[in-house]
């Protein structure tokens, strides 16, 4: 059953936006029910012209109880968009693109259209993976801003041999992942001074997006 986030509820139906109606037309949905997701609740609905009539409400909840913030350093755009999709599927509540010293991306201006595209990727992935809410995509920030974000558990991935190994994560968490060149020693020290645990992901060197996915996948 197709799932769509909606934002206009009136009594026993949802008024569907023009963009959503066009999408439904492209999918050739006619005589079948859909699921509308409104304020983190699933509603099974029947399509009637530009409306979705509510048939029943579902109590399914497919979200973490705690906040999961991922701050990955910007990498190749195609790979970064793949990371957005998979992070949404794995349940991250918020993704904040980050600028750090060793990043290969040479620009710091992310266009408005790019941010719109990334948020659409997140929305589509959350619909596909049966989530109750959309993983938010925040405007990019610098490393120095990222380490000031408040969370109960703070993790930064680093390849240092003597860093802490990790098997699972829980509680409100923020995860910082560096670029292909890794974080600088100064960045690691700044993170440590701001309450971050340095974690080792194993003996193999992982790509930036792989490290993010690994950490998200072991959250309890």
């Amino acid at each position: 059953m197709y799932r769509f986030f909606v934002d206009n509820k009136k009594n026993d139906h949802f008024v569907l936006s023009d963009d959503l109606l066009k999408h439904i037309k492209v999918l050739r949905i006619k005589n079948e029910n859909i699921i509308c997701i409104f304020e983190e609740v699933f509603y099974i609905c029947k399509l009637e012209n530009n409306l979705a009539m509510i048939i029943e409400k579902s109590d399914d909840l497919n979200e973490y109880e705690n906040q999961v913030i991922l701050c990955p350093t910007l990498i190749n755009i195609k790979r970064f968009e793949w990371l957005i999709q998979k992070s949404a599927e794995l349940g991250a509540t918020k993704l904040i693109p980050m600028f750090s010293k060793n990043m290969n991306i040479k620009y710091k201006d992310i266009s408005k259209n790019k941010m719109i595209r990334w948020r659409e990727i997140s929305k589509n992935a959350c619909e596909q993976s049966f989530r109750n809410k959309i993983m938010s995509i925040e405007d990019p920030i610098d490393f120095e801003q990222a380490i000031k974000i408040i969370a109960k558990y703070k993790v930064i991935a680093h390849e240092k041999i003597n860093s802490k190994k990790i098997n699972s994560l829980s509680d409100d968490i923020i995860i910082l992942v560096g670029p292909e060149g890794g974080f600088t020693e100064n960045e690691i020290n700044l993170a440590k001074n701001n309450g971050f645990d340095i974690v080792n992901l194993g003996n193999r060197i992982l790509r930036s997006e792989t490290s993010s996915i690994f950490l998200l996948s072991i959250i309890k």
Side-chain angles (χ1 to χ4, degrees):
M1 198 179 298
Y2 288 99
R3 300 170 290 278
F4 305 101
F5 287 97
V6 295
D7 54 17
N8 190 354
K9 184 177 182 291
K10 291 187 177 180
N11 300 319
D12 62 348
H13 63 269
F14 297 101
V15 179
L16 306 181
S17 67
D18 290 340
D19 287 342
L20 180 50
L21 287 169
K22 289 178 183 177
H23 186 41
I24 288 172
K25 185 176 181 180
V26 169
L27 293 173
R28 299 182 180 179
I29 303 173
K30 293 182 179 180
N31 299 317
E32 56 184 293
N33 294 337
I34 64 171
I35 293 176
C36 291
I37 311 166
F38 179 74
E39 295 182 347
E40 301 184 22
V41 176
F42 296 118
Y43 295 86
I44 299 175
C45 300
K46 178 181 179 182
L47 287 174
E48 291 187 4
N49 298 318
N50 67 328
L51 303 177
M53 307 304 295
I54 297 173
I55 298 174
E56 62 179 296
K57 179 180 175 181
S58 170
D59 294 325
D60 288 345
L61 181 60
N62 302 320
E63 299 293 331
Y64 289 122
E65 293 181 4
N66 304 302
Q67 181 172 239
V68 178
I69 303 173
L70 176 66
C71 290
T73 299
L74 277 163
I75 53 175
N76 170 274
I77 295 301
K78 184 176 181 180
R79 287 162 50 202
F80 193 79
E81 291 183 348
W82 179 88
L83 172 58
I84 291 172
Q85 182 188 65
K86 301 310 173 187
S87 299
E89 292 176 11
L90 285 168
T93 55
K94 183 184 296 185
L95 187 146
I96 310 176
M98 182 175 63
F99 301 114
S100 65
K101 296 295 182 183
N102 288 334
M103 58 186 283
N104 292 326
I105 301 296
K106 299 302 181 184
Y107 56 86
K108 292 189 69 173
D109 293 324
I110 303 298
S111 69
K112 181 179 179 180
N113 287 339
K114 183 66 69 178
M115 295 302 300
I116 291 173
R117 172 175 168 79
W118 289 353
R119 287 165 181 150
E120 187 67 17
I121 289 172
S122 175
K123 181 173 78 69
N124 292 340
C126 290
E127 287 175 340
Q128 182 274 329
S129 56
F130 220 89
R131 289 193 57 175
N132 296 74
K133 59 185 179 182
I134 302 171
M135 178 186 74
S136 65
I137 307 288
E138 304 295 315
D139 291 335
I141 60 176
D142 290 323
F143 178 87
E144 290 76 10
Q145 295 172 286
I147 60 176
K148 299 296 184 181
I149 295 174
I150 297 173
K152 187 173 181 179
Y153 193 17
K154 300 180 178 184
V155 169
I156 183 167
H158 193 51
E159 66 275 10
K160 288 175 66 174
I161 295 175
N162 63 346
S163 63
K164 175 182 177 182
K165 290 189 177 180
I166 193 161
N167 295 314
S168 64
L169 304 172
S170 58
D171 297 319
D172 290 340
I173 184 169
I174 178 170
I175 301 169
L176 269 57
V177 178
E180 285 82 353
F183 289 114
T184 66
E185 287 300 314
N186 183 56
E187 287 172 331
I188 291 297
N189 289 331
L190 283 173
K192 286 174 63 177
N193 292 337
N194 281 271
F196 279 79
D197 283 338
I198 304 171
V199 297
N200 187 316
L201 306 186
N203 296 328
R204 293 177 296 277
I205 300 299
L206 306 180
R207 298 182 79 162
S208 180
E209 65 271 33
T210 309
S211 299
S212 297
I213 296 307
F214 172 79
L215 286 166
L216 288 175
S217 69
I218 61 174
I219 291 176
K220 287 185 179 179

